[in-house]
Amino acid sequence: QVEVVESGGGSVQDGGSLRLSCAASGFTRSPYSMAWFRQFPGKEREGVATIYFIGSYTYYVDSVKGRFTISREVPKNTIYLQMNSLKPDASAMYYCAAKTSTFGAPWWTSSEYDHWGRGTQVAVSS
């Protein structure tokens, strides 16, 4: 019954901004954390940012620090990713993930997450 749905992707020019949203529904309680991942064609899925639902901890992959901001609304089990100063190399399918508890691996480990959205595509043109 758990569903994770991303939205907000699209096409943007070099230097532009996008705001992604992800709503997770069907949880009996708040998730342990949620995260944004992205995947380039032919590449492994990589963690972009995560936010915890207790303590408001956030972590980012180094390449997006200072340009991307993750935030959340706990009662709605919803997270956002504000992406500024976008470059073409940010073009990817962006996925939202949620997990009900920690399994001990680093946050960027995709197998840690129980639930995934189907992705929203981001295309940055020069």
Side-chain angles (χ1 to χ4, degrees):
Q1 293 184 355
V2 174
E3 186 176 35
V4 178
V5 181
E6 308 97 332
S7 62
S11 298
V12 65
Q13 291 184 321
D14 190 345
S17 298
L18 285 172
R19 182 177 172 86
L20 306 183
S21 299
C22 173
S25 61
F27 281 88
T28 58
R29 57 178 175 83
S30 296
Y32 180 85
S33 65
M34 295 178 67
W36 289 99
F37 287 75
R38 65 185 176 186
Q39 189 168 25
F40 306 104
K43 303 295 183 180
E44 297 288 331
R45 189 174 297 180
E46 66 175 17
V48 178
T50 189
I51 188 163
Y52 289 75
F53 277 66
I54 299 175
S56 299
Y57 302 110
T58 60
Y59 301 95
Y60 299 86
V61 65
D62 190 65
S63 62
V64 308
K65 288 181 178 178
R67 299 184 297 112
F68 290 12
T69 303
I70 190 169
S71 60
R72 57 151 167 74
E73 295 185 61
V74 173
K76 297 181 179 179
N77 290 340
T78 298
I79 64 168
Y80 306 92
L81 187 67
Q82 179 67 46
M83 304 186 293
N84 298 326
S85 301
L86 285 165
K87 298 295 184 183
D89 61 8
S91 298
M93 184 71 73
Y94 284 72
Y95 296 90
C96 178
K99 59 179 177 179
T100 56
S101 64
T102 182
F103 301 101
W107 70 267
W108 60 83
T109 306
S110 61
S111 62
E112 282 268 300
Y113 295 84
D114 306 285
H115 308 287
W116 291 82
R118 291 189 176 275
T120 185
Q121 192 163 35
V122 172
V124 185
S125 60
S126 60

